[in-house]
Amino acid sequence: MTARPGREPQPPGANGEPAHAAAHAPAPADARPQPAPPPAPRRSAPRHSARLSSAPLPSAPTPAAPEPPPVRDPLTPAQAFDALYAFCAPALVRQAYLLCGRRELARESVERAFQVAWQRWPEVAVDRDPAGWVRATAYEYALSPWHRFRPRYRHPEPPPADASDRALLDVLLALPAPCRRALLLYDGVGLDLPETAAETEASTPATANRLLRARESVAARLPELADPTALHRRLAEVASVERLRAARAPVVRTGSERRARFWMRAAIAFTVAIIGATALTLHTAPTQYEPPVPPGEAVQGVPPRAAPGALSDAELRLRAKLRSATGHGPQRMLPEPR
């Protein structure tokens, strides 16, 4: 069956008659024309938009977020310096004592190293190893050869009370300074070989040779310390027996600032003295050329002065006459007649 244009195909009747027969059948008398049903509203295709529905969507309950840790205020430079000093100073004093063998010099070395660190704190604070920076400075000061010319360090200090401690300290002080430093860093502090070489500013083979030489010297005089573990333990024991105390951190910071002010004022005074001397020279210097005075020359043709010699006969007679004549009276004023 083909539907006519402009009409929709009708469904078959209930009794099985075709649709066109039902359409031509007479309508009942009481039948009234029924109004056409309103057209069904067209459903628009869903648009793929990024807008979300305002209605809340059901979601699974989210776990409670952990509370953030409390925010701490950043440390001030003074607080950071005091923390570094409290952490490193006690051990550094003992290490410096093993290097130089003097208690007072060990304390002075550590204080001077931290004073330099406080003066250069912007550089030390961003260093990857601030403790290593301060340790290297303290070692350099403790091993300086100029301390032998200071009056306070001309005489040796009392040695440790224990005989074994004295023997180990004597062996350490008998080593050359580079070997002693390499031994202390490797077997005392516990650095590895590349770190020891970097801190001593030497190559790795040179540092290894220094370390082997130092160990051989220690083992030759103290065979019980041939084992590196025993040597490490004895170094810690010798350094811990001595009562070595470092000054307080505020005292070190104040001393550093006082030293910096002193050298700044000395530099200013020296600069002012140079400027004054230059100004005085410019003021008193001649403004025109003055030829130099030529050296004197000997005059030719002048007879030399004769030295006094023996008196002649005439001079002797004159002297005798003068001595025999009256030394006073009127006759001295009159000429003698001839």
Side-chain angles (χ1 to χ4, degrees):
M1 178 182 66
T2 305
R4 294 182 181 180
R7 296 184 180 181
E8 297 180 359
Q10 298 292 332
N15 53 1
E17 297 181 354
H20 65 274
H24 292 284
D30 58 347
R32 295 180 182 179
Q34 297 295 329
R42 297 181 179 179
R43 295 181 179 180
S44 59
R47 298 180 180 179
H48 298 281
S49 60
R51 293 180 299 175
L52 300 177
S53 176
S54 59
L57 299 177
S59 59
T62 58
E67 297 182 359
V71 180
R72 298 182 179 180
D73 296 335
L75 297 178
T76 62
Q79 293 174 347
F81 176 84
D82 293 350
L84 178 64
Y85 186 87
F87 178 74
C88 299
L92 275 182
V93 173
R94 294 191 290 268
Q95 297 170 20
Y97 172 71
L98 295 177
L99 280 178
C100 62
R102 295 180 177 272
R103 302 170 182 84
E104 186 63 28
L105 181 57
R107 286 190 290 265
E108 182 182 352
S109 302
V110 175
E111 291 179 10
R112 184 63 57 86
F114 275 98
Q115 287 176 359
V116 176
W118 178 242
Q119 294 174 7
R120 303 179 183 178
W121 186 247
E123 172 188 351
V124 178
V126 298
D127 192 87
R128 65 174 185 176
D129 187 12
W133 194 98
V134 178
R135 180 175 59 242
T137 306
Y139 282 15
E140 290 290 343
Y141 189 86
L143 295 175
S144 176
W146 300 105
H147 295 305
R148 68 185 66 178
F149 299 106
R150 301 174 61 181
R152 61 187 303 182
Y153 296 134
R154 289 180 180 177
H155 304 286
E157 290 187 354
D162 191 10
S164 59
D165 295 346
R166 288 197 305 269
L168 178 56
L169 189 60
D170 292 341
V171 172
L172 291 177
L173 297 179
L175 296 174
C179 299
R180 193 188 323 158
R181 184 174 182 178
L183 180 68
L184 182 60
L185 288 175
Y186 191 84
D187 289 331
V189 180
L191 301 182
D192 57 6
L193 193 59
E195 292 177 349
T196 304
E199 186 160 330
T200 56
E201 298 180 355
S203 63
T204 304
T207 305
N209 292 332
R210 292 173 181 175
L211 181 61
L212 293 176
R213 180 182 175 184
R215 284 183 173 179
E216 290 175 358
S217 301
V218 173
R221 297 185 58 179
L222 300 174
E224 65 275 8
L225 299 181
D227 184 12
T229 305
L231 179 60
H232 173 75
R233 185 182 66 255
R234 287 293 297 135
L235 289 175
E237 291 176 356
V238 172
S240 302
V241 167
E242 298 295 331
R243 297 181 179 179
L244 302 173
R245 297 181 180 179
R248 295 182 300 174
V251 177
V252 176
R253 282 192 285 107
T254 305
S256 176
E257 296 170 358
R258 187 184 302 111
R259 177 178 293 274
R261 286 194 299 267
F262 170 77
W263 285 112
M264 181 184 64
R265 293 172 182 174
I268 293 175
F270 185 70
T271 305
V272 170
I274 292 179
I275 295 175
T278 304
L280 180 62
T281 302
L282 294 176
H283 179 71
T284 57
T287 57
Q288 59 184 2
Y289 175 73
E290 295 181 359
V293 179
E297 297 181 358
V299 180
Q300 304 296 333
V302 178
R305 296 181 59 182
L311 298 178
S312 60
D313 295 340
E315 292 175 346
L316 292 174
R317 288 194 299 270
L318 178 59
R319 187 181 64 178
K321 183 178 180 181
L322 291 175
R323 289 179 178 179
S324 61
T326 306
H328 58 278
Q331 63 274 17
R332 184 175 179 81
M333 303 300 295
L334 297 177
E336 295 182 356
R338 291 188 180 182

